[in-house]
Amino acid sequence: MTTKGPISQFIEKNYRHFNAAALVDAAKGYEAHLEKGGLMFMTLAGAMSTAELGISLAEMIRQGKVHAITCTGANLEEDVFNLVAHDFYKRIPRYRDLTPAEEWDLMENGFNRVTDTCIPEGEAIRRIEKHIFELWKAADDKGERYLPHEFFYQLLKSGVLEQYYQIPPKDSWLLAACERNLPIFVPGWEDSTLGNIFASYCITGELKPSTMKSGIEYMTSLAQWYIDNHKTGNGIGFFQIGGGIAGDFPICVVPMLKQDLEMDEISFWAYFCQISDSTTSYGSYSGAVPNEKISWGKLHVNSPSYVIESDATIVAPLIFAYVLGQ
């Protein structure tokens, strides 16, 4: 058992009811799952990288408390954007008061707004583009094919971006994942900024679409990873930040293996937690409660499950701090 520091002690003393209590329960469940030798699978939706979740998530990865990640293409690239262009970001605390004309002014000046934070196109997106294009082109010319995150791992390992680093490297979750060669799965990557850029090079004929491996190939590699690891310790837990494709894509691997491939020996997800502020309602799948996942064959009736209906930018770092014993 990790000796608890002041953040954890504060949480245990003050967070006793409602969503606060659910946070504590989920954190203790996460910790218990790991102590029994289980693995933890994490999903990142929303704009968690631009929210600088890497400050806490990177240490979770380094300490072996996260064993695989599914994220959106935006979260994959935006951690690196922040790594190389942090000093050029613009924060707008009163973003709710912006007029359409002011939004247009941001666009014309190369700032893409994510809530209260603007990503600088020139220093972030275009700075990375020329370097990752060289990797895409080299693979394309040799007839080699890679998954989106593999190109990012190549980019980081090359060291070419180190000249631009503007945050401590220890605060980049993707850099921490790269150092551990953590399995990453990125469904729907093509809807990200660099995914759009890759598509544009395919339209001009400079690259072939087949150079980038597909979402189906991500699903098959995820299936193999699950087959290889589902019997490890207490099984594989599922920690979901937000909803959408980042969560929906990987959680389906269990019913696919059990129902479509008839692999009855495959274990259900052994722990489930979702942090979401999506209100549960008819048709709101991202806001579906864990019980609904039981009916789809994703969770067992006895799987520990938690829902924290709150802002993940607040909740996730607190849970990570608890699991890290801070």
Side-chain angles (χ1 to χ4, degrees), residues 9-27:
Q9 292 176 27
F10 176 88
I11 290 171
E12 287 191 314
K13 179 179 180 180
N14 293 278
Y15 286 20
R16 300 194 177 191
H17 301 281
F18 318 130
N19 276 302
L23 183 157
V24 176
D25 292 342

Side-chain angles (χ1 to χ4, degrees), residues 71-93:
C71 68
T72 58
N75 275 303
L76 183 74
E77 66 190 11
E78 288 177 15
D79 183 77
V80 184
F81 292 167
N82 181 62
L83 176 65
V84 303
H86 181 271
D87 295 350
F88 295 96
Y89 277 56
K90 180 192 292 288
R91 183 164 180 267
I92 304 177

Side-chain angles (χ1 to χ4, degrees), residues 41-48 70-75 185-189 191 219 222 238-253 272-279 283-289 292-293 298 312:
F41 191 100
M42 185 167 293
T43 79
L44 303 178
M48 299 309 297
T70 288
C71 68
T72 58
N75 275 303
F185 309 93
V186 192
W189 171 78
D191 85 343
M219 180 59 81
L222 170 59
F238 196 94
F239 191 88
Q240 180 175 343
I241 298 177
I245 195 171
D248 297 346
F249 179 89
I251 204 167
C252 292
V253 74
F272 177 81
C273 175
Q274 180 176 5
I275 306 171
S276 176
D277 58 6
S278 175
T279 303
S284 178
Y285 181 77
S286 293
V289 295
E292 186 173 305
K293 292 172 173 60
K298 299 166 184 175

Side-chain angles (χ1 to χ4, degrees), residues 67-178:
H67 303 91
I69 289 176
T70 288
C71 68
T72 58
N75 275 303
L76 183 74
E77 66 190 11
E78 288 177 15
D79 183 77
V80 184
F81 292 167
N82 181 62
L83 176 65
V84 303
H86 181 271
D87 295 350
F88 295 96
Y89 277 56
K90 180 192 292 288
R91 183 164 180 267
I92 304 177
R94 295 178 59 86
Y95 66 92
R96 291 182 177 87
D97 299 331
L98 291 176
T99 64
E102 289 170 324
E103 299 276 20
W104 182 260
D105 185 64
L106 288 173
M107 186 276 294
E108 288 197 314
N109 284 281
F111 286 102
N112 304 134
R113 186 170 69 82
V114 181
T115 312
D116 70 344
T117 303
C118 296
I119 300 174
E121 181 173 339
E123 292 78 11
I125 301 166
R126 301 305 170 187
R127 177 172 287 176
I128 288 176
E129 178 187 353
K130 63 182 180 181
H131 295 296
I132 202 164
F133 173 77
E134 292 175 358
L135 296 175
W136 293 340
K137 184 61 176 172
D140 192 272
D141 289 343
K142 290 184 287 188
E144 297 176 351
R145 305 178 64 242
Y146 297 99
L147 291 161
H149 81 279
E150 292 176 323
F151 278 113
F152 273 91
Y153 278 4
Q154 292 174 25
L155 182 64
L156 292 172
K157 289 176 180 177
S158 74
V160 71
L161 296 183
E162 292 179 8
Q163 60 184 307
Y164 307 120
Y165 286 2
Q166 295 184 353
I167 64 169
K170 67 180 180 65
D171 291 341
S172 164
W173 74 262
L174 191 61
L175 195 55
C178 179

Side-chain angles (χ1 to χ4, degrees), residues 56 63 88 250 267 281 299:
S56 54
Q63 292 197 22
F88 295 96
S267 304
S281 63
L299 300 179

